Amino acid sequence: MKQYRNIFLILLVIGLQIPATVQALNKQSRLYSVQEAESIGMTRSWFTQVNLNIGKEKIVHVTIVDNVLFVVTDGGTIQTINADTGTTIWQRRFGLGYLFTTAASANSKVVGIINGTTLYLFDRFNGKLLLEKALNGNPSGGPQLSERYVFVPMVSERMLALPIEQDVRLANDLDTIYELQKIRQSLNLSDEVKQQIINEENQVTPVQYRLRSIEDRDINSCPLLGLSFQQPYLTTQSVDNDYVCWTTNNGWLLIGRMAYKNLILDRNALELVYRISVAPQLMYVNAKRIGSREVEEPNNIAARPLFVPKDECTRFILAGDKKENSNESDEKQSNQPSKTNLVPEGGMILCGSNMGYVYAVNDVSGDLCWQFQTGSAIEDSIISDGEFCYIPSAKGFLFSVSLKYGTEKWVAPEIKKPVAVSKNRLYVIDRMGNLVILNKTNGKRIQSLSLDGETEVIYNSETDRLFFVSEDGLVQCMHEIQQEKPIRYRPTRSEYAKQLSLEMTERWGRSLLDPPTAPNSPALTPTKVQTASPNASAETTEEAAPLPTVPSAEDAETISEIADPFGDSESNETENEVDFDNNDLDEDNPFGDNIFENL
């Protein structure tokens, strides 16, 4: 009798699961036809299906980086798709599907993602697993990658910075290959021995890009001042500094700086340089006390900040306060930022709060450029075309605001959030969930496209392309008929890396960003070379020199100089300030010619 009861329970469970499975299979997303796209002045350039188990697995994150879609599912799968053609570049499984998985981030060579408490780094071009690192704690948000570091916010209210460095064994592998090639080419060997040498060469052939293991002592950190549940935002990158910003649950906008000068001075390199409170204060006066207190409803930041870099891609100039037109209104003149508040370095961070304020902050100086009041909470992300930013509010109004002056141009009603912007059009989602096309000049509605409940238009702040993604894995791309090539609003990660490489080459005579990729070129041994960073509050600009990794025994004569290159190690730290303006120092290698030998 017990056996029959067990069989009955099994059949009952199967019977309950069948309707749900059938419903999931029948719940298919909508493929928009070419005619529907043409009706709104667009063309459907491609569509594709993500490889996932329909009914048991769904898409949870889609990230757009340098015209590549990084699609992450809740089953522990990441798939990269070329945003121009829709072809899959590579796909990998990682971690455990039942653990929480963050969105992916990427630089010019590496892709980072967190599953549970483990950080995974993949080769961006072929998906090969480069590094798997346990974080020894619970992350509160996704990772962010610069060209040299991975930034991870933690539940312990710390921001971690993990180095991305080439494995030093890679150069040894190359040396081994060179020796094997010499042996195979110089000696009269039998075919059997030659084949053995070739097999040994194949075993030590380096991958395209490999990372060394990260030890706990290599990790830098700084306080979060609260919990940050969002992916940090990478802002300005340079040879001297990497700037990163994040928001917390208690109303802070914080800017951290990875200062490579501090690595030279053997200090913690990641430092918190600016914190901007968006919680307004109420002044009160009574018979006993005069003071201030926070309002009961905190002015938290719900939406992820937007960074507008200063370059030709955005056509935005931070420096200068002269009017472009003498007939500008007094309102523009009064809201125009002063020259002292803006510096010709860095870019602008746009941040919206729950109290309806939008703050424009320079990431290098930390100065408030302007602020704008919408009247209701900012819950969705802001988008920009480099000249204007488009701000959604919780009450359904979309504001077009000048990036330079912080003044309103127009406002459009019944809009939920913006998703993309082109040369003359602004693409938004209205409060009914439909795609609406607005005129960028006046905010008037041009056309609209009805969306089904299963399809979402992905927020794209990099280009003018529209990406439609559904949970069951259908991905579609549309663009304006006459716009064959995408319009870019920010530099690519490769352009950042190229610029850093050029700056490093000018300063040190070679770049340490690009690892050797072929055995027919001289091996470059990677070193920890960092430079000093200018302090945002300092009057003078400091310039530092490279510092090597641990020297070999042959460099014993210079060990004392490397350990304390700036003076007596027992003296006060303030007495050991570096005079980087000393003309007697060699700017390329002030520590001597033997600093890079035998590392």
Side-chain angles (χ1 to χ4, degrees):
M1 187 68 179
K2 185 176 181 180
Q3 181 179 3
Y4 291 122
R5 184 175 62 183
N6 293 337
I7 295 175
F8 173 76
L9 291 175
I10 293 174
L11 293 176
L12 179 62
V13 172
I14 295 175
L16 292 175
Q17 290 180 348
I18 289 176
T21 304
V22 172
Q23 182 180 5
L25 293 175
N26 293 333
K27 194 177 181 181
Q28 296 181 355
S29 57
R30 176 183 174 187
L31 178 62
Y32 296 96
S33 64
V34 177
Q35 291 75 18
E36 287 179 298
E38 291 178 350
S39 66
I40 59 174
M42 307 192 74
T43 179
R44 190 191 68 194
S45 55
W46 56 263
F47 67 92
T48 187
Q49 175 67 40
V50 176
N51 296 325
L52 50 78
N53 191 347
I54 299 178
K56 296 183 179 180
E57 194 176 2
K58 63 181 180 180
I59 295 176
V60 291
H61 301 291
V62 179
T63 307
I64 305 172
V65 180
D66 297 349
N67 220 30
V68 176
L69 299 179
F70 295 88
V71 182
V72 180
T73 71
D74 59 0
T77 301
I78 179 172
Q79 182 171 341
T80 60
I81 300 174
N82 188 314
D84 284 334
T85 61
T87 57
T88 296
I89 303 174
W90 53 266
Q91 179 181 0
R92 291 291 180 269
R93 286 197 172 272
F94 61 94
L96 301 174
Y98 59 84
L99 295 178
F100 175 74
T101 303
T102 67
S105 178
N107 62 17
S108 63
K109 298 183 179 69
V110 181
V111 178
I113 195 169
I114 295 177
N115 175 259
T117 59
T118 304
L119 171 68
Y120 296 88
L121 297 182
F122 302 93
D123 188 296
R124 175 170 169 173
F125 304 101
N126 56 31
K128 182 178 179 62
L129 180 63
L130 302 175
L131 181 68
E132 182 177 343
K133 169 67 177 177
L135 296 175
N136 297 326
N138 295 315
S140 60
Q144 182 61 257
L145 276 67
S146 70
E147 291 301 320
R148 293 166 286 189
Y149 274 84
V150 182
F151 300 94
V152 181
M154 304 295 289
V155 175
S156 59
E157 299 190 10
R158 303 290 296 180
M159 176 69 73
L160 302 184
L162 293 78
I164 304 177
E165 294 187 7
Q166 177 189 338
D167 195 333
V168 295
R169 294 172 297 179
L170 184 58
N172 297 331
D173 290 346
L174 287 171
D175 292 338
T176 303
I177 293 174
Y178 299 151
E179 295 300 326
L180 291 173
Q181 288 178 344
K182 289 179 181 178
I183 294 175
R184 177 163 52 86
Q185 296 173 1
S186 60
L187 300 179
N188 188 14
L189 303 176
S190 63
D191 294 339
E192 183 179 356
V193 175
K194 286 184 178 180
Q195 187 60 42
Q196 292 179 357
I197 296 177
I198 292 174
N199 294 337
E200 190 172 353
E201 287 180 19
N202 294 333
Q203 291 178 0
V204 297
T205 299
V207 296
Q208 182 177 5
Y209 192 71
R210 187 169 65 189
L211 306 180
R212 68 173 181 84
S213 59
I214 299 174
E215 301 179 6
D216 292 338
R217 62 182 176 84
D218 299 324
I219 301 176
N220 294 269
S221 67
C222 74
L224 281 175
L225 299 187
L227 290 175
S228 179
F229 300 106
Q230 300 173 344
Q231 189 180 50
Y233 212 111
L234 183 67
T235 59
T236 299
Q237 293 186 78
S238 66
V239 175
D240 298 323
N241 304 289
D242 285 346
Y243 287 89
V244 61
C245 74
W246 65 89
T247 60
T248 62
N249 62 336
N250 52 12
W252 287 102
L253 170 65
L254 300 118
I255 302 175
R257 178 177 63 195
M258 192 68 197
Y260 298 101
K261 174 189 69 174
N262 290 342
L263 287 178
I264 293 178
L265 302 177
D266 195 20
R267 302 172 185 168
N268 181 46
L270 182 61
E271 54 186 6
L272 183 61
V273 289
Y274 303 115
R275 55 179 183 174
I276 296 95
S277 175
V278 297
Q281 303 283 319
L282 287 182
M283 300 299 298
Y284 65 91
V285 179
N286 56 28
K288 296 182 179 180
R289 184 179 177 186
I290 299 176
S292 65
R293 62 182 178 85
E294 290 188 3
V295 296
E296 294 183 358
E297 181 180 358
N299 189 18
N300 294 338
I301 301 172
R304 189 163 177 248
L306 173 68
F307 177 66
V308 182
K310 194 206 76 171
D311 51 46
E312 64 274 9
C313 295
T314 60
R315 308 182 307 279
F316 179 66
I317 303 175
L318 281 176
D321 63 347
K322 294 183 179 180
K323 286 186 179 181
E324 295 179 359
N325 190 339
S326 58
N327 295 326
E328 288 177 342
S329 64
D330 294 335
E331 181 183 2
K332 282 189 177 182
Q333 173 67 14
S334 61
N335 287 276
Q336 185 177 348
S338 64
K339 204 166 189 177
T340 58
N341 290 335
L342 295 178
V343 295
E345 296 182 359
M348 180 178 285
I349 301 173
L350 300 177
C351 176
S353 69
N354 287 350
M355 295 295 289
Y357 285 93
V358 177
Y359 304 91
V361 181
N362 182 271
D363 65 323
V364 172
S365 67
D367 293 326
L368 179 65
C369 303
W370 51 260
Q371 68 181 29
F372 182 81
Q373 170 65 276
T374 65
S376 59
I378 311 298
E379 298 176 347
D380 289 290
S381 297
I382 303 169
I383 203 167
S384 173
D385 60 1
E387 184 178 2
F388 292 90
C389 61
Y390 304 95
I391 306 168
S393 67
K395 290 186 178 180
F397 292 97
L398 182 73
F399 297 85
S400 174
V401 177
S402 169
L403 273 177
K404 189 170 185 179
Y405 300 104
T407 55
E408 177 185 321
K409 183 179 182 182
W410 52 257
V411 58
E414 300 300 320
I415 302 299
K416 181 182 179 182
K417 61 180 180 180
V419 291
V421 59
S422 67
K423 184 177 181 180
N424 300 312
R425 291 176 161 193
L426 178 64
Y427 299 92
V428 300
I429 303 297
D430 66 7
R431 304 188 78 175
M432 300 299 294
N434 299 317
L435 176 67
V436 176
I437 304 174
L438 302 181
N439 188 319
K440 280 177 51 176
T441 304
N442 51 28
K444 301 296 183 181
R445 296 196 178 203
I446 300 176
Q447 290 167 316
S448 64
L449 178 65
S450 177
L451 301 177
D452 57 35
E454 306 303 320
T455 302
E456 179 183 359
V457 183
I458 300 302
Y459 170 80
N460 181 13
S461 62
E462 292 197 352
T463 67
D464 62 329
R465 271 23 185 178
L466 292 179
F467 299 100
F468 301 78
V469 180
S470 61
E471 289 186 350
D472 61 3
L474 180 63
V475 183
Q476 309 171 62
C477 176
M478 291 186 188
H479 63 80
E480 296 176 11
I481 298 176
Q482 70 278 10
Q483 195 67 45
E484 293 294 334
K485 295 183 179 181
I487 301 175
R488 298 203 59 85
Y489 295 108
R490 62 192 64 248
T492 64
R493 287 4 180 228
S494 298
E495 290 171 343
Y496 273 125
K498 183 178 179 180
Q499 181 63 31
L500 287 175
S501 178
L502 291 175
E503 292 178 7
M504 288 180 175
T505 303
E506 291 177 359
R507 183 171 298 185
W508 301 314
R510 67 174 185 173
S511 171
L512 301 177
L513 281 177
D514 301 323
T517 57
N520 57 0
S521 60
L524 293 180
T525 304
T527 57
K528 280 187 176 180
V529 177
Q530 289 88 11
T531 62
S533 62
N535 192 329
S537 61
E539 295 294 334
T540 60
T541 302
E542 298 178 338
E543 183 176 280
L547 180 73
T549 54
V550 179
S552 63
E554 297 181 10
D555 294 322
E557 297 179 357
T558 60
I559 289 181
S560 59
E561 297 181 12
I562 296 174
D564 188 16
F566 306 122
D568 187 6
S569 60
E570 297 179 358
S571 61
N572 195 320
E573 189 176 277
T574 58
E575 298 176 358
N576 288 334
E577 293 295 330
V578 189
D579 183 15
F580 294 107
D581 296 327
N582 188 356
N583 296 327
D584 295 333
L585 295 178
D586 183 356
E587 293 182 359
D588 293 330
N589 188 9
F591 297 100
D593 295 333
N594 62 340
I595 211 68
F596 293 105
E597 295 178 0
N598 302 318
L599 294 181

